[in-house]
Amino acid sequence: MENQENNTDLLNSNDKPAIGYQILAFVIPIAGLIMAYNNRTDFPLKAKRYKTLALIAISIGLFFRIIDRL
């Protein structure tokens, strides 16, 4: 039982995305989507964070593109 808890803690500590990769996922959304796809099975929390940041960046870009057209 104790061994399983240690393994879970180890997996959770490795599933935190680094700040540099988060910035990369936001600044270059295609890279964020690629990183999310690559990490989806082994590190689901990282993948979700990268995907969220990429989609936020895409949404902001589309918003400003629409505003520019008006």
Side-chain angles (χ1 to χ4, degrees):
M1 180 73 174
E2 184 179 325
N3 191 17
Q4 289 177 348
E5 290 175 5
N6 289 339
N7 288 340
T8 304
D9 292 339
L10 182 61
L11 289 175
N12 290 338
S13 67
N14 290 337
D15 203 11
K16 295 178 185 174
I19 189 70
Y21 287 127
Q22 291 184 55
I23 293 170
L24 179 67
F26 184 77
V27 174
I28 306 173
I30 190 71
L33 293 175
I34 291 169
M35 290 188 301
Y37 180 77
N38 286 338
N39 289 306
R40 72 186 186 283
T41 55
D42 296 332
F43 304 106
L45 296 177
K46 281 184 184 181
K48 183 178 179 182
R49 182 67 177 165
Y50 296 147
K51 182 175 65 172
T52 302
L53 288 168
L55 293 177
I56 289 171
I58 290 169
S59 299
I60 291 171
L62 287 174
F63 173 76
F64 282 117
R65 193 170 284 226
I66 291 170
I67 294 298
D68 187 42
R69 297 272 182 188
L70 296 176

